[in-house]
C-alpha cells in the first residue's frame, strides 16, 4: 500500500512515496535555505511563495522517482500542523485537491508525529518508548505506547534546542541555520572550557529551558572583543554561502571554538539527562530521538557513550530534518485503522500531538 506524503510546514517543500509504512520509494526535498539564509531565519511570506513555486514539481518528481501514478496510491498524507500557517496551507490544499480530484483518501498528519516515525520507519520498536523531538521549532519529550499513543511529559518553556543553535550561530556571525556549523566546529574546541549552569526547572523537572544558556553566551561575547572575527565570518559568508570547515576555522580563534564546543555540550547534556530520566521513570524499552537537532554528531556520540539498557533510534541524517517520507510513514498506521481526514479540515499552526495528563 503506497502513500504519497506531502510536507510544507516550514521551509522545505517535500513529497515522498512510502510503501507499507516502511519502504521509501522516493523522497524529494526542495530546500528554501538559500532564500532565507540572508535574513538569518525563515521569513513566513517568502516561505509560502516558495512552497507555491515548488509544490507541483516536487510532487511530480516524487511520483516519477517512485514509478507510481495516482491509481497506485492508497492515501495522500499531508502535514496539517504545527507550523507556519501560510506554508501548511500550500501542501494541505494541494493534497486536498488531489484527494478530491482523484478520489484518494486524505490523511492529515501532525508534523511532530512525522518526526517520530522518521526514526522508526523500519524498526520494530518495543513500547513504552520515550521520544525526544528536537528541532528548530520544537523540543518535546513524549511517552509513546502501543498503537502510537502519545503522552506529553516535557517540553521547552522558551526556545527550542535548534533555535538555541541558530541564535548562538547568528550572534557569532555563523549565519543560518546554526546547528550544522556548530556541529562541524565543536570538535575543534574544548567542551569543558566554558562552564554553563544547567537549567533547573520548577514544577515539571522534565521541561527544558534554553534561554538562560543563550543569555550566558551573549554575556560571554559581550565580555570580549569579538567584532573583528564576527566581521570576518560575515564577509566569508557573503562571498561563499557554504564555507568549508577549514574556511570557518581560519576566521574562528580557539576561544570561540571552546565556546561553541561548551555550548553544544551543554545543550546535549540538557537533552539527554531529561530523556534518560524519563526513560528510567517509565521503564522504557526504547528511546527515539528525532528532528533537525538529531543530526548532531555530538548528540549521537554522547547517546552511544551512555550505553543505555534499551535501543536508541535515530533517523538517518536525511530523515532527521524535515521531509515527507516521515509524513507518509506516520500516515500508514492511520490508513490501517481507517482514520481519514475530512476535506474541510483546517491547517493548524499550533496543533499539539499530546498534552500533559
Ligand atoms: O526538523 P527541522 O528541519 O525543522 C523544524 O521542524 O524546525 O530542524 C531544523 C533545526 C534548525 O534549528 C537547525 O539549526 C537544526 O535543526 N540542526 C542542527 C543540526 N542540523 C540541523 N542542530 C544541531 N546539529 C546539527 N547537525
Ligand atoms: Zn520539523
Amino acid at each position: 500500500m503506497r502513500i504519497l506524503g506531502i510536507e510544507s510546514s516550514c521551509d522545505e517543500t517535500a513529497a515522498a512515496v512510502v510503501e507499507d509504512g516502511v519502504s521509501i520509494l522516493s523522497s524529494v526535498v526542495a530546500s528554501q535555505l538559500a532564500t532565507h539564509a540572508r535574513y538569518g531565519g525563515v521569513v513566513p511570506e517568502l516561505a509560502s511563495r516558495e512552497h507555491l513555486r515548488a509544490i507541483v514539481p516536487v510532487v511530480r518528481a516524487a511520483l516519477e522517482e517512485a514509478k507510481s501514478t495516482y491509481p497506485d496510491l492508497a492515501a495522500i498524507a499531508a502535514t496539517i500542523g504545527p507550523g507556519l500557517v501560510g506554508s501548511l496551507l500550500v501542501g494541505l490544499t494541494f493534497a486536498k485537491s488531489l484527494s478530491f480530484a482523484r478520489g484518494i483518501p486524505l490523511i492529515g498528519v501532525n508534523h511532530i508525529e512525522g518526526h517520530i516515525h522518521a526514526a522508526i520507519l523500519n524498526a520494530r520498536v518495543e513500547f513504552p518508548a520515550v521520544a525526544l523531538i528536537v528541532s528548530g521549532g520544537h523540543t518535546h519529550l513524549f511517552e509513546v505506547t502501543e498503537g502510537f499513543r502519545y503522552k506529553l511529559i516535557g517540553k521547552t518553556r522558551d526556545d527550542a534546542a535548534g533555535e538555541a543553535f541558530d541564535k548562538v550561530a547568528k550572534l557569532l556571525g555563523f549565519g543560518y541555520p546554526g546547528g550544522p556549523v556548530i556541529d562541524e566546529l565543536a570538535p575543534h574546541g574544548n567542551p569543558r572550557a566554558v562552564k554553563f549552569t544547567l537549567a533547573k526547572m520548577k514544577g515539571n523537572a522534565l521541561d527544558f529551558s534554553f534561554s538562560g544558556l543563550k543569555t550566558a553566551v551573549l554575556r560571554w561575547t559581550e565580555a570580549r572583543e569579538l567584532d573583528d572575527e564576527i566581521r570576518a565570518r560575515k564577509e566569508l559568508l557573503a562571498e561563499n554561502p557554504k564555507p568549508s570547515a577549514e574556511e570557518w576555522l581560519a576566521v574562528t580563534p580557539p576561544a570561540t571554538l571552546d565556546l561553541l564546543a561548551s555550548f553544544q555540550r551543554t545543550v546535549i547534556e540538557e537533552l539527554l539527562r531529561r530523556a534518560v530520566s524519563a526513560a528510567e521513570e517509565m521503564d522504557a524499552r526504547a528511546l527515539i530521538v528525532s528532528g533537525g537537532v538529531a543530526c548532531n554528531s555530538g548528540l549521537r556520540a554522547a547517546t552511544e557513550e551512555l550505553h543505555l539498557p534499551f535501543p536508541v533510534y535515530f533517523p538517518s541524517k536525511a530523515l532527521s530534518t524535515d521531509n515527507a517520507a516521515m509524513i507518509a510513514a506516520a500516515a500508514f498506521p492511520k490508513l490501517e485503522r481507517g482514520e481519514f481526514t475530512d476535506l474541510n479540515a483546517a491547517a493548524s499552526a499550533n496543533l499539539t500531538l499530546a498534552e500533559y495528563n
Side-chain angles (χ1 to χ4, degrees), residues 111 115 135-137 162 165-166 177-180 183 291-293 295-296 320-322:
H111 181 80
H115 275 302
S135 72
F165 274 95
D166 294 338
D183 189 2
V293 179
C295 283
N296 190 270
S320 296
T321 49
D322 290 349

Side-chain angles (χ1 to χ4, degrees), residues 67-149:
K67 298 194 174 36
S68 300
T69 55
Y70 289 110
D72 300 328
L73 301 176
I76 296 172
T79 306
I80 193 158
L84 301 168
V85 77
S87 292
L88 287 164
L89 273 173
V90 177
L92 182 62
T93 309
F94 191 73
K96 284 180 182 175
S97 326
L98 284 179
S99 161
F100 179 68
R102 303 277 178 171
I104 304 167
L106 176 73
I107 300 177
V109 173
N110 182 306
H111 181 80
I112 313 269
E113 185 169 25
H115 275 302
I116 292 176
H117 279 264
I120 52 174
L121 210 117
N122 31 40
R124 276 204 165 272
V125 181
E126 288 189 39
F127 298 104
V130 170
L132 170 67
I133 307 306
V134 271
S135 72
H138 317 282
T139 300
H140 286 110
L141 268 179
F142 295 101
E143 178 186 302
V144 190
T145 46
E146 202 67 51
F148 299 104
R149 307 286 166 202

